[in-house]
Amino acid sequence: MTFIMDPLLYPSIIKQGRQLDFHEFTSKVAPLTFGYPPVLSSKFPGLWEQIKRSFQLLQGDHLVPLTDSMMGNLMLVFRQDHLDRDGDWRRGSLYEFCSSVMFEATFLTIYGKPATGSRHRGMDNMRKDFNEFDNMFPFLIAQIPIWLLGGTKAIRQKLISYFLPQQMSRWSNTSQFIRRRSELFDQHDKLKDVDKAAHHFAILWASVGNTVPATFWATYFLVSQPEALKMVRQEIVDVLRDKSSINESLRLSSASMNIRVAQEDFSLRLDNDRSVGVRKGDIVALYPQSLHLDPEIYEDPQTFQFDRFVQDNREKTDFSKTGQKLRYYLMPFGSGSSMCPGRYFAINEIKQFVCLLLLYFDLQLDDAQNRPNLDSRRAGLGILMPSSDVRFCYRLRAV
Ligand code: HEM
C-alpha cells in the first residue's frame, strides 16, 4: 500500500479515476460490513449504476426538501426533548446530546415518520444498537469475519430488521432518495427482503456515522471558546449562512482515507518531472489528515481558529505548501468520482443543528475539562469521535 504524503501531488492521483479505482475496495468490503450480497454481480444487472444515480437525489434542487424536512425534524426533537418554559441551567453530556438529536432528526428526514405519531418508538434502543455495531465497524472494514466479533451479527440483524419492506411501506414523508432506492431494489427479484433492508441500513450508517461526530466537534469547539460562540451566534442572527467554523472543525476531526486500487500496470505521472510505475492490484492511498494538520499549510494546526476559513468576509480557499497553491486543502468527504454524495446535506444539517442550538440555548462547558482526544480507532474511516464525552450545561435563552 503506497501512501501519497505530498498534498501537491493529490490532483495526479484523483484524476486517474479509471486506472486507480475506488469502488473495487468498497464493493468488496461494504457488502461484508452491512450484510448484503455484492452489488456488482451478474445477479443484479444495472443495480450499481442505478444506486449511483440515486445519489443525485441528495444534491442540487433535491437538497431543498431534505433541508426543509431536517429543519422541521430538528425543531421537533429539540422542542419535545429539550425546550421547556423555565430558563434553568440543565446538565448534560455533549456527545450524547448531539448524537440523540442528530440521529433521530436525520433518521426522520431520510426514512420518514412512523404510521402513527411523529416519532418512531424505540429510537434510543436503536441508537444504542447502532453504537455497538459502530464500535465494531473498523474490524468489519478490516474484513475480520463477523462471527469472530461476539454479538455483532445479532445486533446487525436487529438493525437491519427495522428496514424490512413491510415496515418501511408504512412510513410517511420518506425522502425521495430512499423511495427511489426502494423502487429500484424492487426491480431486482433476486434481492431478498433482508438484502433490501441491509442496503437501507448501510445508508443509515453513511448518513449518521460521520455526521454525528462532526456535529459534536462543530458544537464542542464553539462552546469551548466563548468568543467564537458569541461571534458565530451573532453571524447566525445576521445571516443564516456560516460554514467557516464547521470547515475548521472538520479539518481538526476528519481522518478518512482515500483508497484507490490499480486496475492495470501503468506509469503514474506525479508532476512534470516524476512518474512512478504502478502494478495492477497495488493500493494507492491519500490520507488527508496529514494535510489537515500540516503546519506549513495551517499555522498552529492543532488550534481551533473559528475564522480560519474566512478572508475578507468570504470563504478562504487559498492555502499553499512550499509556495504553491493547493488544489485540495480540505478533504473530509473524499475525492474524485467517489466523493461523498451526502456532503451538501451533511453540511446543511450540521449548520441547522448548530444554528438552532445557539439560538435556543445559552451554553457552557463545565470547568476544568481538557479538550477530549481524538479516538483513533476509526482512523482512516471518517470523522473521529472524542475519546471521552464533555460535560456541559444549557439553558433556554431569553428570546
Ligand atoms: C461516502 C464522508 C455524511 C452518504 C463517503 C466517503 C467519505 C464520506 C469520506 C467516501 C468517499 C471517498 O472515499 O472518496 C462523510 C462525512 C460526512 C458524511 C465526513 C459528514 C460529516 C453523509 C451523509 C450521507 C452520506 C449525511 C447521506 C445522507 C454517503 C454515501 C457514500 C458516502 C451513500 C458512498 C458513495 C459511493 O459509494 O460512491 N462519505 N459523509 N454521507 N457517503 Fe458520506
Side-chain angles (χ1 to χ4, degrees):
M1 201 153 157
T2 307
F3 283 85
I4 309 287
M5 295 308 294
D6 181 351
L8 288 163
L9 300 180
Y10 279 20
S12 318
I13 313 301
I14 293 167
K15 71 172 186 241
Q16 293 292 344
R18 190 178 59 81
Q19 282 155 320
L20 291 176
D21 178 81
F22 161 81
H23 285 101
E24 176 166 340
F25 178 71
T26 38
S27 53
K28 190 162 149 211
V29 295
L32 292 171
T33 303
F34 297 110
Y36 54 72
V39 177
L40 278 168
S41 133
S42 53
K43 275 166 86 182
F44 310 113
L47 181 58
W48 187 78
E49 290 76 9
Q50 290 171 319
I51 286 182
K52 273 270 169 201
R53 270 201 298 280
S54 76
F55 294 155
Q56 287 165 7
L57 299 174
L58 292 169
Q59 307 179 8
D61 291 345
H62 303 287
L63 208 53
V64 177
L66 272 178
T67 303
D68 271 357
S69 159
M70 184 70 192
M71 198 60 161
N73 290 322
L74 275 172
M75 289 171 74
L76 174 85
V77 178
F78 267 126
R79 282 216 181 99
Q80 295 193 354
D81 293 357
H82 299 289
L83 292 180
D84 50 14
R85 291 292 111 203
D86 67 48
D88 289 345
W89 284 101
R90 296 204 209 170
R91 303 209 100 76
S93 294
L94 194 59
Y95 191 88
E96 173 60 25
F97 182 100
C98 297
S99 160
S100 66
V101 176
M102 282 299 266
F103 188 94
E104 183 168 354
T106 305
F107 189 98
L108 288 166
T109 304
I110 303 248
Y111 299 99
K113 298 186 185 311
T116 50
S118 50
R119 298 172 71 175
H120 292 268
R121 255 182 285 142
M123 244 323 131
D124 276 343
N125 283 337
M126 182 191 212
R127 192 162 55 88
K128 213 169 115 253
D129 289 338
F130 179 88
N131 289 342
E132 273 192 46
F133 172 82
D134 195 29
N135 280 338
M136 293 299 158
F137 186 80
F139 299 115
L140 290 166
I141 292 287
Q143 299 174 53
I144 310 272
I146 194 162
W147 54 267
L148 285 175
L149 301 176
T152 311
K153 187 160 185 189
I155 290 171
R156 186 174 73 181
Q157 268 337 96
K158 199 165 144 203
L159 285 163
I160 288 175
S161 68
Y162 285 102
F163 300 98
L164 286 167
Q166 56 271 35
Q167 302 242 100
M168 285 183 67
S169 62
R170 294 205 298 264
W171 298 346
S172 61
N173 287 66
T174 304
S175 66
Q176 211 192 337
F177 172 58
I178 291 296
R179 275 185 284 137
R180 169 75 55 84
R181 289 170 65 93
S182 298
E183 275 160 29
L184 63 92
F185 297 150
D186 287 343
Q187 292 162 15
H188 293 269
D189 302 338
K190 297 210 173 75
L191 268 185
K192 296 194 289 269
D193 282 357
V194 290
D195 302 336
K196 296 174 189 172
H199 272 284
H200 289 306
F201 165 59
I203 290 296
L204 177 67
W205 195 90
S207 61
V208 293
N210 284 306
T211 313
V212 167
T215 305
F216 165 80
W217 289 110
T219 310
Y220 169 75
F221 282 123
L222 284 180
V223 183
S224 67
Q225 286 191 8
E227 182 60 11
L229 185 67
K230 199 168 139 217
M231 296 278 289
V232 172
R233 184 178 274 134
Q234 189 52 46
E235 228 179 295
I236 297 170
V237 174
D238 292 349
V239 263
L240 287 164
R241 65 171 171 81
D242 174 70
K243 178 167 107 170
S244 53
S245 70
I246 294 172
N247 274 352
E248 174 66 345
S249 57
L250 288 173
R251 179 185 71 78
L252 282 164
S253 60
S254 87
S256 56
M257 179 151 75
N258 298 201
I259 294 180
R260 303 285 188 264
V261 183
Q263 301 297 295
E264 60 196 35
D265 292 350
F266 74 105
S267 164
L268 173 65
R269 209 183 153 91
L270 292 175
D271 53 22
N272 286 340
D273 326 308
R274 283 176 295 173
S275 340
V276 287
V278 175
R279 298 153 304 188
K280 183 170 188 260
D282 276 355
I283 297 181
V284 178
L286 309 179
Y287 194 51
Q289 193 188 31
S290 67
L291 131 80
H292 294 159
L293 299 179
D294 183 339
E296 230 188 300
I297 303 170
Y298 295 107
E299 199 189 322
D300 204 0
Q302 291 293 349
T303 303
F304 173 76
Q305 285 176 21
F306 72 98
D307 54 357
R308 200 188 280 276
F309 289 93
V310 187
Q311 194 171 35
D312 306 330
N313 278 331
R314 290 238 187 95
E315 182 168 347
K316 177 170 156 73
T317 54
D318 194 1
F319 293 91
S320 41
K321 188 173 165 79
T322 55
Q324 294 182 67
K325 188 169 180 268
L326 286 168
R327 175 139 173 231
Y328 298 96
Y329 55 87
L330 184 66
M331 299 175 62
F333 294 107
S335 55
S337 65
S338 63
M339 207 168 170
C340 174
R343 59 194 182 280
Y344 304 105
F345 177 58
I347 293 281
N348 277 4
E349 57 175 343
I350 298 172
K351 276 198 228 172
Q352 290 175 302
F353 175 90
V354 172
C355 284
L356 288 177
L357 190 76
L358 268 54
L359 292 176
Y360 282 151
F361 301 112
D362 286 322
L363 298 148
Q364 275 173 15
L365 297 184
D366 288 8
D367 289 342
Q369 294 181 95
N370 289 333
R371 171 165 150 190
N373 290 326
L374 295 170
D375 173 349
S376 56
R377 278 177 303 172
R378 264 168 44 160
L381 302 175
I383 305 292
L384 301 181
M385 295 185 190
S387 56
S388 57
D389 209 334
V390 172
R391 291 182 311 282
F392 80 120
C393 355
Y394 57 110
R395 114 182 131 187
L396 199 60
R397 275 166 61 81
V399 272

